[in-house]
Amino acid sequence: MSRSERLLDLIQALRRHRRPVSGQVLADELGISIRTLYRDIATLQGQGAPIEGEAGLGYVLRPGFMLPPLMFTDEEIEAIVLGSRWVAKQPDARLSAAAANALAKIAAVLPDDPREDLDATALLVGPPAGLVEGIDLGVVRQAIRDERKLAFLYRDAGGAASQRTVWPFAVGFFDKVRVVVAWCEMRQDFRHFRADRISALNATDTRYPRRRQALLKEWRATLDKPRGS
């Protein structure tokens, strides 16, 4: 590993810790000696990185710090391109456009060699599965961000229709289907709604009474229990 890669890894390690972390913990994470760790922190501080703390007390990186220019390993570039290309082929038009725009922004700030790698990566995404969705998933994603209730008509696997009001907090992206994860007021429980079975979607102005992070945490704890729709 080059010294520049090691310094970048140190920055990333500090970003993962929101609270002060000891030099020994950082050294163990990076697989380097504590003496090398102290030298690297001094180097980054000398280059303007807002790292606070000292030996024996721990270190923390103040929020908002960016390393110009952006540097990525070969595998990180491949992951970025592959993920962006996959999202760009999804039926969610706004998310698709955002993926293409994000990739263009990343390319614009990369040095010449990594930018060429970004354009020339050989990892390709196959054609989409021909998904047909009658709703705008962008509306769902906005409701999740705003913690607002959604109302819609839902048809189950047997074709039976029911009017639902839900508290959406996640969207699952699968190869052949998109699933809205929400608390359903009618069922008084968590439910999974296939996007291709949703119609008459209405984004309300009503904020649901719980935080989406709390709903997500509670839902994850119930994944081992069988659920219906």
Side-chain angles (χ1 to χ4, degrees), residues 174-185:
F174 300 89
D175 286 342
K176 296 183 179 180
V177 69
R178 306 292 173 260
V179 176
V180 179
V181 187
W183 175 267
C184 178
E185 292 188 350

Side-chain angles (χ1 to χ4, degrees), residues 2 10 36 41 76 80 90 117 119 132 154 184 210 223:
S2 68
L10 175 54
T36 298
I41 285 180
E76 287 171 342
I80 290 169
Q90 301 311 301
D117 292 340
D119 294 333
V132 177
Y154 190 71
C184 178
R210 299 184 61 192
L223 290 180

Side-chain angles (χ1 to χ4, degrees), residues 7-17 61 67 76:
L7 293 175
L8 179 60
D9 285 348
L10 175 54
I11 288 290
Q12 295 300 95
L14 285 164
R15 281 177 173 154
R16 289 194 295 269
H17 294 277
L61 178 68
L67 273 179
E76 287 171 342

